[in-house]
Amino acid sequence: MLIYLRLLRESFNFAVNALRNNKLRTFLSLLGVTIGIFSIIAVLAAVDSLQREIKGSLSSLDNSTIIVMRFNFGPSDIPRWKREQFPDVSYDEYQYLEKNLTDVDAIDYSLNVGRETIKFEEKTVSQVEIGAVTHNYYDIEELQLAQGRFFNESESVSGTHVIILGHEIAQNLFGESDPLQKQIRMYGQRFTVIGVLKKEGAGLFGGSKDTAVFLPVNVLRRIYGDNNKSAVSQIIIKPDEGVDNAEFIALLTQKLRNYRALKPDEVSNFFVNQLQGFADLIDNITGQLNFMGLIISGFSLLVGGFGIANIMFVSVKERTNLIGIQKSLGAKNRFILFQFLFEAVILAIIGGLIGLFLVWIVSLLASQFTGDFEFVLSPWNMFIGTMVSAIIGLISGIIPAIAASKLDPVEAIRTGM
């Protein structure tokens, strides 16, 4: 074991000497490995960061969560013209499912009505995202409150004029003062503030609850009515834990079809979207991005491998006399083989570490310029970069190492003189 540690130390010294004595040649040869590792790890880190951000924005919702609406998340076999004729899900359907659907942890009816302007005394905030929901939305989204409370079932059903503010909205309207029980104006009506959400930060696509407000859906139903196409409705259902989702969706679909009196040969004029399917779609897309990035980066690594091989062939030639002396003193072929293999691996790892360092610098800069989006270089990606570098060095150095180990000691000493 000690001999191999000594061998590793000598190989490291040879690699450092190669860097010191032939700076330009070694730099150009390692450049391919550096660029290759930089490309691979940059792609992996970017895709991982993107995937983490997307899933983080969905983390408040369980993957089993189901959204029933007239739109679908993914592709559909139903023609677009036919899908556009589908009716919105109604509040009556929500109430029917709430009473007749089993194995439900929580069920919510929401209206997407776009953005609105909110006023408090002389202060105004425009383009505020309106969340018109029922009381169960709090449990489905697992909202976090910094102050106050969410509205209850009684307030939800009666359409009481109460409102919960996002962190940024509360800051813009009230600053450091307490917003609870204050009245704001919206839709020409007054709403009492009963809660403020904790700060969430901007999402990947700009959406955030910090710039949103939540109020009972029945308030908006009175304003917009139930047949207004500018207000998109949806029913959000969170099944009980451990429920077979396929069976649950089949039962849900059948109950809603029966409620809408659809015939067996008619297609369902609604879509049952599951977040798990959306998460799988994200995984599929990021997997393809990773694969494409690896293919492109592979060409840089190929060039880097040739560079390492070139260094090692030159190193073998320059140290032919030394190899002959080592073998004449009893060094075995495998000792010479491992010596050059270790040297090739160490050179490749040095190039890879430079590439990782560049990715780390880029990740810091990217995080600074992309606001709340965090570009992360994970320990796993660093491990992958180091291992890929070592493998490139091993593959590139194997032929020069074999050539060095097979040299005849007498011819090697004579050639090197």
Side-chain angles (χ1 to χ4, degrees):
M1 185 64 182
L2 290 176
I3 192 171
Y4 286 107
L5 291 175
R6 190 182 70 182
L7 180 61
L8 185 60
R9 185 184 65 185
E10 290 179 357
S11 300
F12 179 77
N13 290 333
F14 279 125
V16 172
N17 286 331
L19 289 170
R20 185 185 298 119
N21 298 330
N22 304 282
K23 295 182 180 65
L24 182 60
R25 184 190 71 191
T26 308
F27 169 75
L28 293 175
S29 298
L30 292 184
L31 189 60
V33 174
T34 299
I35 294 174
I37 294 300
F38 173 83
S39 302
I40 286 178
I41 304 306
V43 169
L44 291 176
V47 173
D48 283 354
S49 301
L50 178 65
Q51 189 175 25
R52 185 183 294 108
E53 182 70 16
I54 294 174
K55 290 189 173 181
S57 65
L58 297 174
S59 62
S60 58
L61 291 174
D62 192 277
N63 274 350
S64 63
T65 302
I66 293 165
I67 301 177
V68 184
M69 58 193 310
R70 67 186 181 95
F71 300 111
N72 61 311
F73 286 175
S76 173
D77 296 331
I78 303 173
R80 181 177 177 180
W81 65 267
K82 195 167 187 176
R83 297 199 306 268
E84 291 176 347
Q85 296 177 355
F86 286 178
D88 278 311
V89 290
S90 67
Y91 189 79
D92 290 338
E93 289 172 335
Y94 152 73
Q95 290 181 310
Y96 168 77
L97 292 176
E98 186 180 32
K99 293 176 182 177
N100 295 278
L101 202 59
T102 58
D103 300 321
V104 174
D105 182 26
I107 180 169
D108 163 71
Y109 179 78
S110 305
L111 278 179
N112 183 356
V113 293
R115 299 176 182 272
E116 188 59 43
T117 298
I118 295 181
K119 297 180 179 180
F120 173 71
E121 296 179 347
E122 302 300 321
K123 296 180 180 179
T124 301
V125 180
S126 57
Q127 294 297 306
V128 177
E129 185 178 347
I130 307 300
V133 299
T134 59
H135 63 287
N136 284 325
Y137 185 80
Y138 179 80
D139 297 318
I140 293 176
E141 271 275 6
E142 297 180 358
L143 297 176
Q144 300 294 317
L145 288 168
Q147 292 178 265
R149 62 179 179 86
F150 206 74
F151 51 83
N152 55 39
E153 183 177 4
S154 175
E155 292 167 328
S156 175
V157 173
S158 63
T160 306
H161 282 214
V162 291
I163 193 167
I164 291 86
L165 306 180
H167 175 81
E168 189 174 324
I169 303 299
Q171 287 291 311
N172 291 337
L173 290 177
F174 301 99
E176 297 303 320
S177 63
D178 187 3
L180 296 183
Q181 300 307 313
K182 301 286 179 59
Q183 291 194 330
I184 58 98
R185 290 189 65 84
M186 184 172 60
Y187 300 111
Q189 303 176 29
R190 294 184 182 276
F191 292 82
T192 301
V193 178
I194 61 170
V196 177
L197 298 177
K198 286 185 178 179
K199 185 177 181 180
E200 181 181 76
L204 176 63
F205 304 107
S208 169
K209 295 182 183 65
D210 292 343
T211 57
V213 298
F214 295 91
L215 65 156
V217 70
N218 282 338
V219 175
L220 270 294
R221 287 182 62 226
R222 285 200 296 265
I223 295 174
Y224 283 91
D226 286 328
N227 297 311
N228 193 320
K229 288 298 181 181
S230 63
V232 179
S233 61
Q234 59 184 10
I235 298 173
I236 306 175
I237 305 170
K238 183 179 180 181
D240 284 331
E241 188 176 350
V243 170
D244 187 308
N245 266 38
E247 293 183 7
F248 184 86
I249 290 174
L251 179 62
L252 164 64
T253 302
Q254 188 58 48
K255 285 189 177 295
L256 195 50
R257 283 180 60 86
N258 291 340
Y259 187 86
R260 292 191 173 187
L262 294 175
K263 298 177 181 178
D265 59 339
E266 290 180 311
V267 298
S268 298
N269 55 358
F270 56 88
F271 287 100
V272 179
N273 301 294
Q274 189 177 4
L275 286 188
Q276 179 60 53
F278 187 60
D280 292 341
L281 178 63
I282 292 172
D283 289 338
N284 184 43
I285 292 173
T286 53
Q288 292 180 11
L289 290 174
N290 275 331
F291 179 74
M292 292 173 61
L294 291 175
I295 293 296
I296 295 171
S297 304
F299 289 105
S300 297
L301 284 176
L302 184 63
V303 174
F306 284 126
I308 297 293
N310 176 62
I311 293 177
M312 297 314 300
F313 275 120
V314 173
S315 183
V316 170
K317 187 173 181 61
E318 290 177 344
R319 284 155 46 194
T320 300
N321 185 49
L322 180 58
I323 294 170
I325 293 173
Q326 286 179 313
K327 299 190 79 170
S328 66
L329 293 176
K332 296 182 179 180
N333 287 351
R334 67 178 181 182
F335 182 88
I336 303 298
L337 175 72
F338 285 137
Q339 185 181 60
F340 281 91
L341 271 183
F342 286 160
E343 184 177 342
V345 170
I346 290 168
L347 283 171
I349 289 177
I350 291 172
L353 291 177
I354 296 172
L356 287 173
F357 176 74
L358 293 176
V359 175
W360 179 69
I361 294 296
V362 170
S363 68
L364 291 179
L365 294 175
S367 297
Q368 292 294 322
F369 287 104
T370 53
D372 291 303
F373 178 75
E374 186 178 6
F375 190 98
V376 179
L377 177 59
S378 67
W380 174 247
N381 285 334
M382 294 175 67
F383 173 75
I384 291 176
T386 305
M387 291 305 298
V388 170
S389 301
I391 292 171
I392 291 298
L394 189 65
I395 295 173
S396 303
I398 189 67
I399 296 178
I402 290 174
S405 67
K406 289 185 176 180
L407 286 174
D408 181 85
V410 177
E411 290 296 326
I413 294 174
R414 183 183 302 158
T415 303
M417 293 178 64

